Amino acid sequence: MTTDLRAGRKQSRPAPGGTGQRPRTTWRGRLTKLDTKASPYAFISPFYIVFLIFGLFPLGFTLWVSLHDWGLASGTREFVGLENYDYLLTDSDFWHATVNTIGIFVMATVPQLLIALFIANALNRRIRMPTLFRIGMVAPLVTSTAAVSIVFTQMFDTDWGMINWALGLVGIDPIDWSTSRGWSWVAIAAMVNWRWIGYNALIYLAAMQSIPRDLYEAAAIDGASRTRQFWQITVPMLRPTVIFTVIISTIGGLQLFTEPVLFSVGTPNNMDGGALHQFQTITMYMYDNAFGSDRYGYGAAVAWALFMMIIVFSLINFLIVRRTGGTK
Amino acid sequence: MRASMRRGLSTAVAALLVGGLAVACGGDDSGGDGNIELTVDVFGEPGYEELYKQYEASHPNVTIKQRKVSALDDFKPRIQQWMATGSGAGDVVMLEEGILPLYMQQANKFVDLFDHGGKELEQNFVSWKWAGGLTPDGEQLVGLGTDVGALAMCYRTDLFEEAGLPTERDEVSELWPTWDEFLKVGQDFQSEMPDTKWLDGPTAIWRTTVLQQAGAGAGYSYFDKQNELVFSSNPAVKASFDTTLKFEQNKLTADMSIFTPPWQTALKRDTFATVPCPSWMLGGIKEFSGDFGEGKWDVAQVPGGSGYWGGSWLAVPKQTDHAAEAAELAKFLTSPEGQIGAYKAANVFPSSPQAAKDPAVAEAKDPYFNDAPVGQIFGEMVAQAKPVYLGPKNEDVRQAVENVLIGVGQGKVPAGEAWDKAVEEAEKSAR
């Protein structure tokens, strides 16, 4: 069978310089060739087509919109070049939102990743019912953000909230969670942390399990303590994973939206993040401009500024983590 | 050859799949059984449920679905997206007086109701309400008027009694012919009742006083009729700001915004004793105060003279598939009979003189509000009310200034700096 096939193929191949059987083979031959060359691309094409439609096109379109004075409700559409970006640079409200976003981001991400690391380390030891605990870690993730935010918002309510009540039991005065800038950040960071610690811990746990056991055994024989093993074996070996989680958290943190929106229940416009914009994040400011205040073009400029900011921040974080990953 | 053919086939299948995805996204089904579903987008408490049932009974091929949002400020971005993207809006949409000027700029996105027999309806509305639904050139009828938010003041009789104040509504009205006197009564109340605030917050009183002052003055508030921002130069705005600020400085408000969740919750507690009450507010109080508030509320005259706050129009976006049927429904809901029905259900006071004269409205008493003669109270108000022009960015300026006032109450903005900050925020919002 095989030999037959080979023979057939050999036969059908045109002789060097020959002319005879060419027309008969090319049709099928070309098709086969096209097939072997093009099929892989066709198979991976869905991803790229989807990416083009949902990734690249919106990016380009947003850039185009940001060069306009564009209003959705009023119907204005006028090319203004870089005017929106010009205004953005001097827009105190934008920078106020940027400070809020970075503030909440730092308060949320740093403790989140550190706690996740310690939890993963604890789960990595021999414990009873490991699966139960591991599933428990992801439980917060599958709850809806809206539900989480509503519950937390009630807990952080200044007059009726559980947290101020608990603080009152130990003699601490009630805290203005929704009106003080710093405390509102703490409250929102708490929601974010509650949701994402388990997710990061699971990723760390997966990475920890691929670290060779014999490294720990050797260290133990050399007399290294548990703590020392953690800092000198686990953490350095986790470096690529830490970089991954840091970048993912950076992207998520800078795009923070749902939690602060649902936290600002008491003001006329819940995109304002408090009466004095105490916890208005960049995405809220973007949404408010684009869809609330009829400045679609300016909202697009804010979106692009955010996009650039995420790239810069991810790079900075990547470099920092790479430098200080625990290795010397 | 077999193998290669199979591979060729799979290429084709992959291509088909990708193409199929695109096709699948564009599906649209319109039931061909002659039944039409009309979606009505509203906010607040329009009181239409009974009217829908009536309409469905007389139009067996029509079913009506209502989508309701409590707060106008939540409704605004939704309708903006629907109108901008050309899809998603209901067949009939409710446009509040603050939103309407924005969409007048894009009147071509709405069905011209003159094409659907709108002309004959003019005598059904008070003249300025009718004029509000027209494009500035008068060529197109964009919206048909629904209610007018005639002003009053709602108060809690039980809390007044506890504080040693009169509870009978005429006596109560005499307590506060002006806002200054309303403030003084508030201070007395507050000293007796430290745990209950006098007012709900700065937003309701700010909107009330701005419309009163503007109606009595130039006929416009933050923007003049050329849509130029006159926030800092219009004496009506400054006067109402000073009035509102006094209540904040004296800590007489609970710093809440109407229809927000904390405000809704507060209505089930003794959080505040009075709320400036345009007629539609009665529906809101009933809904959110529920059994707790039944019989505890009453309606008195508003301090500071006549005025109205709010009121809407019904419009039909061009994106609807059933323009004629939607226009019919809008006409029905805004007809004198429709407005009477809505009034009975939710106290939204008619903009139709015929409806206002109807005994069902004019002689109406509201059992929830201690049998207050609401028809008479609001009817007198509407007769005196003067229209106030609102610019397209009216709502943005309003929100920004309300935030400054709330900030004063929260102790974050010093009262001495409040006006300057309000002017600054207004200018940014009007950009």
Side-chain angles (χ1 to χ4, degrees):
Chain A
M1 183 72 179
T2 353
T3 39
D4 268 346
L5 249 176
R6 243 191 223 164
R9 254 188 205 169
K10 246 179 200 165
Q11 223 176 22
S12 64
R13 202 173 282 164
T19 46
Q21 300 135 313
R22 202 171 184 171
R24 221 197 116 212
T25 50
T26 36
W27 173 232
R28 192 176 294 161
R30 265 196 211 145
L31 212 62
T32 315
K33 224 176 191 177
L34 183 77
D35 183 26
T36 48
K37 280 198 172 166
S39 292
Y41 293 103
F43 284 125
I44 58 164
S45 67
F47 170 77
Y48 288 96
I49 290 167
V50 167
F51 173 73
L52 275 176
I53 297 171
F54 295 102
L56 216 52
F57 171 72
L59 211 58
F61 183 70
T62 308
L63 185 63
W64 173 243
V65 172
S66 74
L67 303 176
H68 290 74
D69 179 11
W70 191 316
L72 291 179
S74 59
T76 38
R77 192 189 288 192
E78 195 186 322
F79 188 81
V80 291
L82 293 175
E83 215 173 81
N84 280 329
Y85 292 94
D86 235 29
Y87 183 84
L88 184 105
L89 292 177
T90 58
D91 180 2
S92 56
D93 288 345
F94 171 75
W95 295 111
H96 182 88
T98 308
V99 172
N100 289 347
T101 311
I102 295 172
I104 299 171
F105 162 68
V106 171
M107 279 185 190
T109 311
V110 175
Q112 183 188 127
L113 296 185
L114 283 176
I115 296 170
L117 197 58
F118 290 122
I119 291 179
N121 192 49
L123 284 179
N124 198 26
R125 298 188 189 161
R126 270 159 207 258
I127 47 172
R128 273 162 201 268
M129 296 183 289
T131 323
L132 186 76
F133 284 105
R134 284 167 202 175
I135 290 174
M137 297 308 311
V138 275
L141 201 65
V142 295
T143 54
S144 107
T145 317
V148 173
S149 304
I150 288 164
V151 170
F152 270 73
T153 302
Q154 286 177 357
M155 283 167 58
F156 280 106
D157 189 278
T158 306
D159 298 322
W160 313 100
M162 205 171 82
I163 308 240
N164 273 353
W165 170 78
L167 289 176
L169 290 184
V170 286
I172 299 171
D173 282 340
I175 292 171
D176 283 341
W177 292 106
S178 58
T179 59
S180 139
R181 202 174 178 197
W183 288 119
S184 65
W185 293 0
V186 173
I188 292 165
M191 299 182 208
V192 177
N193 284 340
W194 185 81
R195 193 170 166 76
W196 292 104
I197 284 176
Y199 168 81
N200 285 305
L202 268 198
I203 291 179
Y204 288 150
L205 181 63
M208 279 175 190
Q209 299 203 322
S210 67
I211 299 174
R213 291 275 130 198
D214 46 357
L215 282 178
Y216 293 103
E217 279 158 22
I221 289 167
D222 286 349
S225 67
R226 282 262 192 181
T227 323
R228 186 133 186 233
Q229 288 176 24
F230 175 70
W231 287 111
Q232 300 218 303
I233 301 173
T234 314
V235 173
M237 294 293 278
L238 279 181
R239 207 174 56 185
T241 319
V242 172
I243 291 175
F244 169 78
T245 53
V246 164
I247 287 177
I248 292 290
S249 308
T250 306
I251 295 171
L254 293 182
Q255 292 181 341
L256 190 66
F257 185 72
T258 316
E259 288 91 343
V261 167
L262 290 168
F263 195 61
S264 57
V265 284
T267 43
N269 178 0
N270 55 7
M271 289 302 148
D272 280 343
L276 299 169
H277 303 201
Q278 289 95 330
F279 46 92
Q280 184 182 43
T281 61
I282 300 176
T283 42
M284 287 160 86
Y285 187 62
M286 174 183 83
Y287 183 92
D288 191 34
N289 271 289
F291 303 111
S293 311
D294 199 38
R295 287 189 286 263
Y296 195 48
Y298 187 64
V302 174
W304 255 83
L306 176 63
F307 175 62
M308 304 305 279
M309 213 178 279
I310 288 174
I311 291 180
V312 170
F313 261 82
S314 303
L315 277 177
I316 293 173
N317 282 337
F318 173 73
L319 291 175
I320 292 175
V321 176
R322 205 173 61 163
R323 282 277 166 83
T324 59
T327 46
K328 290 188 184 146
Chain B
M1 186 229 157
R2 260 275 128 97
S4 77
M5 188 132 128
R6 206 178 291 151
R7 236 180 289 154
L9 246 177
S10 47
T11 317
V13 168
L16 262 177
L17 273 177
V18 173
L21 259 178
V23 173
C25 295
D28 181 30
D29 57 326
S30 39
D33 49 0
N35 272 339
I36 294 168
E37 189 184 77
L38 296 175
T39 305
V40 184
D41 281 310
V42 299
F43 60 88
E45 272 309 313
Y48 285 161
E49 272 85 358
E50 273 306 313
L51 293 170
Y52 296 145
K53 278 180 205 150
Q54 280 180 34
Y55 193 80
E56 282 171 345
S58 57
H59 297 73
N61 62 328
V62 174
T63 45
I64 299 167
K65 193 178 95 189
Q66 174 174 272
R67 289 188 295 197
K68 189 175 88 171
V69 177
S70 285
L72 171 66
D73 290 319
D74 293 334
F75 184 71
K76 200 184 148 198
R78 296 187 193 206
I79 181 150
Q80 186 159 341
Q81 273 164 323
W82 296 329
M83 295 315 297
T85 53
S87 74
D91 301 283
V92 176
V93 294
M94 196 174 219
L95 298 176
E96 201 259 356
E97 60 168 1
I99 294 180
L100 187 70
L102 199 58
Y103 289 101
M104 274 300 166
Q105 302 173 87
Q106 282 200 98
N108 60 344
K109 293 207 169 167
F110 293 92
V111 170
D112 185 355
L113 296 172
F114 278 141
D115 297 342
H116 297 277
K119 200 84 203 170
E120 303 93 75
L121 305 174
E122 187 169 348
Q123 83 286 351
N124 282 355
F125 301 91
V126 293
S127 59
W128 54 272
K129 189 79 184 180
W130 170 258
L134 292 170
T135 49
D137 59 8
E139 293 293 310
Q140 186 188 338
L141 183 60
V142 175
L144 290 167
T146 59
D147 60 315
V148 186
L151 288 177
M153 180 66 76
C154 294
Y155 66 100
R156 284 271 302 271
T157 50
D158 57 329
L159 297 175
F160 270 47
E161 193 170 0
E162 250 182 274
L165 292 172
T167 55
E168 204 277 313
R169 71 182 71 83
D170 290 332
E171 282 175 61
V172 168
S173 298
E174 277 166 27
L175 287 177
W176 54 56
T178 66
W179 286 105
D180 278 336
E181 277 150 304
F182 183 74
L183 181 96
K184 283 199 201 91
V185 182
Q187 282 168 323
D188 293 345
F189 176 89
Q190 207 72 87
S191 58
E192 293 290 321
M193 309 273 289
D195 293 333
T196 299
K197 290 291 180 185
W198 178 235
L199 268 170
D200 62 333
T203 64
I205 173 172
W206 162 245
R207 296 201 219 177
T208 304
T209 51
V210 165
L211 289 159
Q212 279 180 332
Q213 294 279 347
Y220 52 78
S221 56
Y222 318 136
F223 294 89
D224 66 15
K225 288 174 182 168
Q226 282 73 47
N227 292 338
E228 289 298 320
L229 183 74
V230 291
F231 186 88
S232 58
S233 60
N234 189 348
V237 175
K238 180 72 166 90
S240 19
F241 190 86
D242 289 342
T243 301
T244 314
L245 190 61
K246 268 185 236 160
F247 287 90
E248 286 299 288
Q249 273 174 297
N250 287 296
K251 306 243 173 269
L252 292 180
T253 89
D255 284 312
M256 286 169 173
S257 293
I258 57 158
F259 286 96
T260 56
W263 185 88
Q264 296 174 8
T265 315
L267 276 176
K268 293 198 179 73
R269 299 187 169 117
D270 295 339
T271 311
F272 47 77
T274 64
V275 189
C277 242
S279 41
W280 44 260
M281 186 74 89
L282 303 186
I285 291 177
K286 272 184 210 168
E287 176 173 356
F288 300 119
S289 196
D291 293 339
F292 172 84
E294 180 145 25
K296 290 181 180 158
W297 288 94
D298 206 326
V299 188
Q301 297 287 342
V302 71
S306 69
Y308 73 99
W309 161 16
S312 300
W313 282 261
L314 292 185
V316 178
K318 271 212 181 122
Q319 53 184 273
T320 175
D321 292 330
H322 313 289
E325 291 84 354
E328 276 315 306
L329 178 61
K331 277 158 67 180
F332 170 73
L333 293 172
T334 57
S335 67
E337 306 79 65
Q339 294 200 22
I340 294 168
Y343 178 79
K344 283 186 196 153
N347 292 98
V348 284
F349 202 85
S351 63
S352 154
Q354 296 90 319
K357 279 186 210 110
D358 190 282
V361 176
E363 287 160 24
K365 294 193 170 168
D366 197 318
Y368 190 95
F369 291 84
N370 277 331
D371 283 324
V374 283
Q376 183 208 333
I377 294 174
F378 292 119
E380 283 168 11
M381 236 345 133
V382 171
Q384 303 166 31
K386 295 191 192 73
V388 175
Y389 174 81
L390 304 175
K393 292 257 174 190
N394 183 77
E395 295 302 287
D396 302 296
V397 172
R398 169 179 71 71
Q399 283 178 350
V401 177
E402 283 172 8
N403 275 337
V404 174
L405 288 163
I406 293 174
V408 174
Q410 291 174 345
K412 306 286 172 186
V413 178
E417 294 167 22
W419 173 250
D420 289 337
K421 185 153 173 64
V423 171
E424 183 196 328
E425 293 292 332
E427 277 163 7
K428 272 197 278 188
S429 310
R431 180 167 67 80

